[in-house]
Structure formats: C-alpha cells, structure tokens
Amino acid sequence: MNKTTLICKSEYITMPDGVRLAVSTWLAEDDTKNIDKRPAVVMTTRYWRANAFQNDKPKFQGFYPSASYFFAHGYVLVVADARGSGASFGCREAEMSPREVDDIGDFINWVAQQDWCDGRVATTGTSYLASTSLYSLVTAPTALKLAVCRAPDFDGYRHLLAPGGIVNLWFLQVWGETTTAQDNNDVSALFAGDYWPVPESGADNLLGVRPVDNDTGGVLLASAIEEHKANFNLTGKEETLTFIDNLLYDHHRVLFDPIYQEKVEQSHIPMIIRCGWHDAGTQLGALSMFASFNCPMRVILGPWNHGGEFRADPFQIGDGNVAEAIPWYEVRALTVNSLDLIFKQNNAANHDEFINKEFGIIEYYTLGENRWKTTKQWPLPHTQMQRFYLAPEQQLSTFAPSSERGCDHYQVDPTTGTGLNNRWHAQTAAKPILFPDREEDDKKLLVYDTPPLEQDTEITGHSVVHLLVRSDACDGQFFAYLETIDPDGRVRLLTEGQLRALHRKVSDEIPPFRMFGPYHSLKEKDAEPLMPGEVAEIAFDLLPISVLLKKGQCIRLAIAGADKDTFAPITDCETPEITIERNSVYASYLDLPII
C-alpha cells in the first residue's frame, strides 16, 4: 500500500449567503499542485473537521488514517465544518437546517472544481456525517455520484431521541454537553463529559478546533466561535420532546419530508447504508428508507457497533462483557469497496443495468447462524408471523387463552436498566455494545418463556407485542425485551422495543414513511392519558433483528416499566402498578416473524 505522507490544507470557502465554511483537504505532502486528478470523498461534520495541537503532526489528526487509506486507493478526502460549528462561521438554528443542507451541495460543487479533482465526488461518513451524506442527495449536484454511509438517523426523533415517545435523556445530556463544548471551542468541557475520545497524542496536546491556514493569529476563529453562541442546542430540552411536533422540527426538515424525498428520488444517485442490528434505531431507519424511497439503494445490516470498530453479537464467545475489536483497515475497506463499486466499474456503457443489478438489495447477517444473506424485498416474502400468548405461570403459549380470568400484577421497579453499553449508549464514539447475562436483571422484570424449542428457529424481521393492561397511573413506560435462554440458564438480549402509554393510540392516518408495526403518530393531538383501572391496549413493534435460535433454547419476553441507564422517567408516574391481562376477553400476545 502507498505510504504517502499527507498534509491537511485548511481554508475558507464562501457560501452564497456570505457565510464562510472551514474546509480541510488531505493531499500529498510532496506535491499539492500537480497531483493526478482523482475522485473526492467528501464529509460534512459538526464535530470539528481538524484539530489544533500544541505539538502538531498530521498523524495526530482523527481523520488522518482515513485520509491516508482513501488516498492510497485513489481518493482525496475533504472535510468541512458545518455552518455554526468548528471553525466555520454562522449559527445553527437546528441540526441539519435547510441552509445547512444547501451548503452541502455548494461544498460539493467547490470540491469538484479543484485542480486535483477529476470532477467526481462521493459523500461518506458515520453518524451525523452519515446523515449529511444522505442529505447531499437532496442537493444532488452533478458531480455527486454516490453516498456511502454508516449509521445515519433517518428519523432522529423516533429512532434516537425519543423512541416510542420515551425521551432518551442520556443522549440529550451527553450529546448536548459535547456539542456545546465544541461550539465554544472548550477542550476542558469537551473531555469532562467523558464522551469525546482523547486523541492519541494526549488530552493536554489538544488546543481545540483547527483554524484555517492563513488565520495565524486566530482572529477569524475567535469571530466564528462568537457567532456560535446563538446556536440551538438540545441540552435541557427534554421537556419539549414529549411530542414529535415540537421545537426540534421548527427549523429542520426531515429527509422523508415529501419535498426532500422527491428530490432524493429524482436525483437517482445510488446510496449504500450500513448499520448494526444493535445500534440504536439506525437499522430500522435504513429499512424504512429502503421500503419507502424509490431510488438505487443498498442496505447492509451486520453485527457492528455504531462506528464499526467492534463486533456486536449476543452469541459472541465469552461472558458478553468484552467485545471483539474489528481492525481499522477492515472498517475503512468496507467504504473503499463501496466507492470502487461506482468509481472503478469497467462497464460504464451499461451504467443503468449495472445500478439495477447492484442496488435495490438488502444484505443482512443472521446472528447465531453467522451467515450473510440477500433480499430485494423487506419484510422477507416468506415470513410467517407466529403468535405466542401470555399464559399462566409466566409462560408463552401458541394456544389462545380459554379462561375469562387471568392476569399478572407488576410493580414497576425504577432501578431496572440495560446497562451503560447498550444499543443507545453505543452512539458514543468507538464504544462497544455488550451482552452480559441478563438472568439477574430479569428478576426485576415480568417475564414469559416458551418451552425449549424443538427445532432450530429463525426470527428475521419485526416482532410486535400487544399488551392489554390496567394501571393505577395516568401514564407510563412500557419496555419489551426479546431474549433467549440457553439450556444452561444464560439469558441473552436479542432486541427490544418501547412505547409511552400517552402515545398508545394507533393512528388511522397514513404514516410519513413505511413502518412495520402499529403506527403511533407521537403527536400532541393523538395523546391519550391512561384512565386508572381501565383496560388499555399497548401495542408496538420491536427493533428488527435476524437471528437463528437453536433447538433447546427458550424464547423470553421480558417487560419493564423503566430503564434508568438511558431514558427519562415520567414525573409522578415513576412506579405505577400495572396489571397485564392474559385471558379470553383480553388476550395479550407477542407476534414473531418466523422464517
């Protein structure tokens, strides 16, 4: 592999409204002017495109390994600070505001016109940078040929900030504090939140965001930071997120907004979306987008954490407290292979035929079987929903209840949780997802088990839970965990879902995009407080999974009313007593997508 040393060339580019964005281009140290023309790989971030160091070396930069790997394979990496962040000017009315989206297109056009660029551009990135990659398809400049991304947030409210209408307090606090520290260029506050990774050169070496090259005195950087003081931030906004129609969307247009969706579909630019089965709700977003958008898309769902640095697999060898690391070059190779698919294809004359062959596909990994599979349709066409009824003695039964009586009482335990390495905490940088034995945790929950399986059983798709409940409170949280029990008693978490009782109404409106379970609008107009003592239906889908369970294992449905490690409790409804009905009049059940 080419070991060319790269340098980070930083400069300002001016947007049509006069706002200047800081941009860093990674070029060969020995020749930044006469380089062979190459395609560009573009990223737009709000997490600092480059760092300023006391002891400054290119290899200390967080993007240096990626830039070097891309360059060795024929691509130049260019990273921009989004407006109102890093060293860029402007302020942020919201995350991914319409103006920020427009900036991406202008940035791509600027890159395509550089002397070293052959006029072709791809966007890429992980997490926020993955979302900006998808939004680049809205702008669809002529130079843009492909978007390759890992773990974007298709619906930030439903899939991350408040899944099921339950506020992800942990993320709001940590992410809000982190972005505030970065927007203020406050390094000490950045590390105090224990979210941002310490650079290899040490925390003391980091001075902050990198100014552009000609800002030797830092005057321009100081002016940009001053403008950031007007930025919108999520810190302390949890009370505003009870409903989806809130301030979050005042200055933000979602990707599935009809205007944006039409632009993405009309662009016909291919996209590749890679997500982990256990990475927040990113996999659900990718599948919803695949099923909703009419454009060339390839979705890849595998056993990865948020950034792809660790294997995330409930069946991984060991006690579940240590994750297998994935070599960095394997992570980057997946992106380069995707870029090569478009930029190095030899059959350009039959481009449309090539796109039809390579896209419109979902590649998915079946856990427990350790096998990759492909499909052009989701849910899988041969899915059969198997119903398991909640039954006496904490059992799951395939037989409907025959008695008119039958229920289980549960006092919600506010100390229950899923730990600090769950799918939601995986949104932090390079943090593994762990799967420790949940036997002890489940003693605090209400659980229902099947007998040992008589044959190997594949579950692929979206499970749905229907609970008929009574409560002594006017609101509450319902968490459902799909688990498996090994013959030796070890309990493994497979997937989960949740719903706030206030949002239980199943809407008869057309959902904004394809959903795979009961549609809850999560809007204020559809809110329905519980009537204490009266039966209410709580129905919701679990996050998708593909898993092969072996003969002798049991399936478990575990029900909780809190997750102290991640989600905000509901004031005055922290410890309700609930009754789950399981009789012929009010039958509660779990539907599993069996293959």
Side-chain angles (χ1 to χ4, degrees):
M1 182 182 297
N2 189 344
K3 297 294 184 179
T4 303
T5 300
L6 303 184
I7 61 170
C8 177
K9 176 187 176 184
S10 295
E11 59 194 300
Y12 277 123
I13 63 175
T14 303
M15 296 295 98
D17 65 351
V19 170
R20 288 171 289 178
L21 303 186
V23 173
S24 289
T25 305
W26 289 90
L27 294 170
E29 182 178 28
D30 57 351
D31 190 354
T32 59
K33 295 182 179 180
N34 300 314
I35 186 175
D36 293 335
K37 290 183 178 294
R38 300 171 177 232
V41 178
V42 162
M43 297 181 181
T44 306
T45 182
R46 62 114 51 256
Y47 303 136
W48 294 355
R49 82 203 185 283
N51 296 328
F53 291 111
Q54 186 170 332
N55 177 18
D56 192 14
K57 295 182 180 179
K59 67 179 183 179
F60 291 161
Q61 296 291 337
F63 283 112
Y64 185 80
S66 293
S68 296
Y69 194 88
F70 289 152
F71 196 86
H73 288 82
Y75 304 99
V76 173
L77 177 64
V78 191
V79 189
D81 284 325
R83 67 168 51 211
S85 72
S88 290
F89 285 82
C91 67
R92 302 180 67 76
E93 297 177 311
E95 303 301 330
M96 224 74 68
S97 68
R99 183 58 257 185
E100 181 180 351
V101 173
D102 291 343
D103 289 345
I104 299 171
D106 295 326
F107 172 37
I108 290 171
N109 284 329
W110 177 86
V111 169
Q113 296 168 12
Q114 300 309 296
D115 293 341
W116 48 263
C117 185
D118 68 3
R120 298 180 298 165
V121 176
T123 52
T124 192
T126 297
S127 195
Y128 194 95
L129 287 73
S131 296
T132 59
S133 294
L134 293 185
Y135 277 94
S136 72
L137 304 179
V138 172
T139 64
T142 303
L144 183 61
K145 307 302 179 185
L146 175 69
V148 182
C149 58
R150 178 187 293 275
D153 291 308
F154 179 61
D155 185 336
Y157 186 89
R158 288 184 175 90
H159 302 154
L160 177 60
L161 298 181
I166 303 176
V167 175
N168 186 341
L169 181 61
W170 172 85
F171 182 82
L172 289 180
Q173 291 176 337
V174 171
W175 196 78
E177 291 170 2
T178 299
T179 52
T180 296
Q182 288 194 309
D183 292 349
N184 293 335
N185 203 26
D186 187 340
V187 173
S188 59
L190 181 63
F191 291 135
D194 196 29
Y195 173 88
W196 203 249
V198 175
E200 290 185 13
S201 60
D204 293 340
N205 192 35
L206 181 62
L207 300 176
V209 68
R210 191 180 191 87
V212 298
D213 294 345
N214 65 358
D215 185 22
T216 55
V219 175
L220 295 176
L221 176 60
S223 297
I225 299 301
E226 184 66 24
E227 293 190 4
H228 300 171
K229 291 182 178 180
N231 281 0
F232 165 85
N233 193 274
L234 287 172
T235 303
K237 299 294 194 301
E238 53 268 18
E239 294 299 326
T240 69
L241 297 181
T242 300
F243 305 104
I244 197 169
D245 41 352
N246 56 58
L247 65 83
L248 185 69
Y249 295 105
D250 284 351
H251 300 283
H252 167 72
R253 178 173 286 163
V254 291
L255 194 65
F256 49 86
D257 179 284
I259 296 175
Y260 275 7
Q261 180 170 344
E262 182 179 5
K263 289 183 177 181
V264 171
E265 292 178 338
Q266 288 180 346
S267 77
H268 209 64
I269 296 171
M271 69 185 87
I272 299 175
I273 305 174
R274 186 175 288 106
C275 300
W277 283 123
H278 293 93
D279 177 22
T282 59
Q283 69 302 116
L284 177 57
L287 291 170
S288 291
M289 190 172 181
F290 182 88
S292 304
F293 280 55
N294 181 24
C295 51
M297 189 182 314
R298 191 180 189 103
V299 172
I300 306 172
L301 304 173
W304 305 302
N305 71 326
H306 192 54
E309 306 94 344
F310 293 97
R311 181 178 176 87
D313 185 348
F315 299 104
Q316 190 171 311
I317 295 174
D319 62 4
N321 291 305
V322 178
E324 175 188 340
I326 299 175
W328 67 267
Y329 57 85
E330 290 187 12
V331 178
R332 292 178 176 89
L334 292 174
T335 299
V336 167
N337 291 342
S338 297
L339 296 170
D340 289 349
L341 185 69
I342 294 298
F343 288 113
K344 297 183 181 179
Q345 61 159 308
N346 297 318
N347 200 14
N350 296 319
H351 179 75
D352 291 343
E353 180 180 337
F354 173 82
I355 294 297
N356 290 335
K357 176 184 176 183
E358 296 294 337
F359 292 82
I361 292 173
I362 297 173
E363 297 179 65
Y364 65 98
Y365 185 89
T366 300
L367 299 157
E369 188 178 8
N370 301 330
R371 180 184 168 197
W372 283 97
K373 305 170 184 177
T374 62
T375 180
K376 286 183 172 288
Q377 183 177 333
W378 192 272
L380 299 181
H382 45 294
T383 303
Q384 294 185 354
M385 298 302 288
Q386 175 69 61
R387 181 159 297 178
F388 293 87
Y389 292 93
L390 277 57
E393 300 180 359
Q394 271 63 62
Q395 294 293 301
L396 289 173
S397 173
T398 56
F399 297 100
S402 56
S403 173
E404 293 184 359
R405 293 186 174 183
C407 63
D408 293 305
H409 302 286
Y410 175 61
Q411 179 69 54
V412 169
D413 186 339
T415 69
T416 60
T418 50
L420 303 180
N421 287 89
N422 62 24
R423 67 165 64 233
W424 308 106
H425 288 244
Q427 295 283 305
T428 59
K431 190 170 185 178
I433 303 167
L434 302 181
F435 297 90
D437 187 352
R438 285 186 54 81
E439 181 181 11
E440 288 300 316
D441 292 300
D442 279 0
K443 292 178 180 178
K444 298 180 178 181
L445 311 184
L446 187 59
V447 301
Y448 299 88
D449 302 336
T450 66
L453 296 174
E454 296 181 356
Q455 62 185 11
D456 291 357
T457 302
E458 181 184 336
I459 300 171
T460 296
H462 309 260
S463 304
V464 180
V465 63
H466 291 258
L467 303 177
L468 279 300
V469 307
R470 303 177 196 266
S471 175
D472 62 3
C474 62
D475 200 355
Q477 301 176 343
F478 290 84
F479 296 87
Y481 304 108
L482 182 65
E483 301 171 334
T484 185
I485 309 171
D486 293 349
D488 64 2
R490 174 172 171 174
V491 181
R492 303 173 189 266
L493 176 61
L494 301 178
T495 188
E496 64 206 81
Q498 60 199 65
L499 181 68
R500 182 172 176 174
L502 185 70
H503 293 299
R504 71 186 185 281
K505 179 182 177 180
V506 177
S507 176
D508 57 4
E509 298 178 354
I510 298 174
F513 54 84
R514 175 68 187 276
M515 298 188 186
F516 304 97
Y519 169 46
H520 306 282
S521 75
L522 308 181
K523 296 179 180 179
E524 188 170 7
K525 69 180 182 63
D526 290 327
E528 290 186 349
L530 292 173
M531 297 298 292
E534 295 188 7
V535 175
E537 182 180 29
I538 307 292
F540 55 94
D541 54 314
L542 309 189
L543 291 164
I545 192 71
S546 181
V547 59
L548 181 69
L549 301 181
K550 302 298 178 63
K551 176 181 178 181
Q553 289 182 306
C554 301
I555 297 172
R556 167 173 286 181
L557 173 65
I559 299 169
D563 184 342
K564 67 178 179 62
D565 299 312
T566 306
F567 295 97
I570 301 172
T571 303
D572 298 327
C573 296
E574 294 93 339
T575 58
E577 181 178 327
I578 63 173
T579 298
I580 296 186
E581 303 288 338
R582 47 165 182 77
N583 50 63
S584 59
V585 179
Y586 299 114
S588 297
Y589 56 86
L590 167 69
D591 283 339
L592 293 180
I594 304 297
I595 306 301

